């Protein structure tokens, strides 16, 4: 079981680090002197939100309902008694992170190792595919999840649109 504990710990370390970047770069936005510098700062936030979404995506895929933390945690006592957030709410937050990233990241990565819009769209599409499958086929291990055929169909359509957008960008 130690491996799963480590996955949980490392994913939440990633969440906390991305929250740190997001909060601190947001403080820099008002000081941006040019539209280019503002766009660069927003792209940094976009990359951080993409990474945070990826961490939470892995968490809900493995554990279902998980605690959602959208701010910097300075001490364990701040989260010692936090409860799990329903998977649908966490999914909506992940979707918002991927959407922000798709809107703010450049169409082509500025350097090797940097994220771009197609990555955000691809992850948003993947999230939609997972959500569609969970809603179509159910998730018996998660008793707090109620499948919905209409949500499945909408998620399949959204995933197809995201993948079309990725292909169109190439």
């Amino acid at each position: 079981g130690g491996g799963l504990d480590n996955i949980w710990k490392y994913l939440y370390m990633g969440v906390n680090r991305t929250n740190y970047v997001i909060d601190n770069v947001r403080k820099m936005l008002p000081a941006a002197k040019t539209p280019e510098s503002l766009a660069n700062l927003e792209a940094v936030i976009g990359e951080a939100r993409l990474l945070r979404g990826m961490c939470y995506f892995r968490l809900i895929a493995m554990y279902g309902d998980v605690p959602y933390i959208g701010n910097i945690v300075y001490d364990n006592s701040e989260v010692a008694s936090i409860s799990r957030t329903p998977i649908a709410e966490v999914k909506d937050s992940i979707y918002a992170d991927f959407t922000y990233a798709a809107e703010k990241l450049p169409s082509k990565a500025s350097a090797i190792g940097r994220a771009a819009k197609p990555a955000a769209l691809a992850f948003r599409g993947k999230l939609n595919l997972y959500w569609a499958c969970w809603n179509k086929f159910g998730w018996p291990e998660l008793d707090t999840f109620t499948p919905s055929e209409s949500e499945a169909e909408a998620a399949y359509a959204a995933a197809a649109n995201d993948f079309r957008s990725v292909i169109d960008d190439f």
Side-chain angles (χ1 to χ4, degrees):
L4 290 178
D5 287 348
N6 284 336
I7 291 171
W8 178 274
K9 178 176 71 173
Y10 292 135
L11 288 170
Y12 273 107
M13 285 171 52
V15 166
N16 197 48
R17 288 180 179 147
T18 57
N19 286 338
Y20 182 84
V21 170
I22 293 164
D23 287 353
N24 285 292
V25 175
R26 275 189 187 142
K27 293 175 188 173
M28 298 167 63
L29 291 175
K33 304 251 188 262
T34 65
E36 293 82 22
S37 64
L38 179 63
N40 287 338
L41 291 173
E42 288 175 335
V44 170
I45 294 171
E47 286 182 340
R49 289 188 68 172
L50 175 63
L51 290 170
R52 179 174 68 184
M54 291 166 63
C55 289
Y56 274 117
F57 187 19
R58 176 58 57 112
L59 282 164
I60 67 169
M62 293 181 71
Y63 301 104
D65 297 344
V66 296
Y68 186 82
I69 303 166
N71 59 312
I72 303 169
V73 175
Y74 293 101
D75 189 75
N76 282 342
S77 64
E78 297 175 55
V79 293
S81 62
I82 192 169
S83 61
R84 290 178 179 246
T85 306
I87 191 171
E89 289 179 39
V90 179
K91 188 267 306 175
D92 290 343
S93 296
I94 297 167
Y95 190 87
D97 281 346
F98 290 161
T99 300
Y100 181 93
E103 292 169 354
K104 300 300 181 179
L105 290 173
S107 294
K108 187 168 173 93
S110 59
I112 293 175
R114 302 309 298 239
K117 180 179 180 175
L121 290 172
F123 271 104
R124 191 172 73 181
K126 185 175 179 178
L127 174 67
N128 279 317
L129 284 177
Y130 270 70
W131 192 248
C133 288
W134 292 334
N135 273 289
K136 185 162 181 78
F137 302 110
W139 195 338
E141 298 88 11
L142 189 62
D143 58 359
T144 60
F145 184 78
T146 305
S148 165
E149 188 71 31
S150 62
E151 278 194 55
E153 294 303 320
Y156 280 131
N161 288 335
D162 284 340
F163 287 124
R164 271 190 220 101
S165 295
V166 170
I167 291 169
D168 290 345
D169 283 350
F170 284 106

